Amino acid sequence: MLFSPKHDHEISYIGGGCLPIETELGWLIIYHGVHVSINGYVYSACTALLELENPQIEIARLPYPLFQPEEVWELKGEVNNVCCPTGTVVFDDVLYVYYGAADERIGCASMSLSQLLKELMHNKK
């Protein structure tokens, strides 16, 4: 086991997501975190950074979701309130995260990889 739920948005449980991405700062992992709300379970995309040489050591983790269900097509579907990351690709400095949305659709979120790593380093363990 690499790590356990830590923050409110992942307090119920955490689970797999995308393949780790090797960066100069460590292994970037994007996984799903779950918490219970009055509307049931909410699945959010989460991220952490692990040491390159020993990935059992957590360097940093965002204390908030990378992204969470907000759009109607993420909030309502076969399973409501789901943004479950499943794949990534990096082109130049843009990280694309593909995710299951409400278990009915596939979404894609994009962000600056360097800005994400910078934000993670502001949230070191």
Side-chain angles (χ1 to χ4, degrees):
M1 178 167 45
L2 291 177
F3 56 90
S4 300
K6 180 177 178 181
H7 301 294
D8 289 344
H9 64 278
E10 60 186 26
I11 199 64
S12 295
Y13 61 90
I14 58 177
C18 308
L19 292 174
I21 300 169
E22 186 176 359
T23 74
E24 67 277 1
L25 298 177
W27 291 105
L28 177 66
I29 59 168
I30 299 172
Y31 59 97
H32 73 273
V34 181
H35 75 275
V36 178
S37 75
I38 58 172
N39 297 321
Y41 290 114
V42 178
Y43 290 72
S44 299
C46 308
T47 190
L49 195 62
L50 308 176
E51 279 194 6
L52 284 175
E53 297 302 318
N54 185 358
Q56 293 180 329
I57 297 176
E58 180 183 328
I59 297 170
R61 188 185 319 193
L62 288 185
Y64 52 83
L66 185 59
F67 57 91
Q68 61 191 1
E70 294 176 352
E71 302 295 331
V72 172
W73 49 274
E74 298 166 336
L75 296 168
K76 299 290 181 195
E78 187 67 31
V79 180
N80 296 334
N81 304 314
V82 172
C83 284
C84 190
T86 56
T88 59
V89 66
V90 177
F91 292 109
D92 298 317
D93 185 47
V94 181
L95 169 65
Y96 295 90
V97 180
Y98 297 88
Y99 64 97
D103 280 15
E104 281 191 357
R105 293 176 176 81
I106 297 170
C108 182
S110 63
M111 63 211 71
S112 164
L113 178 59
S114 60
Q115 290 289 39
L116 176 57
L117 292 172
K118 183 177 178 182
E119 185 67 17
L120 276 162
M121 295 311 286
H122 286 302
N123 290 282
K124 283 180 148 180
K125 186 171 178 186

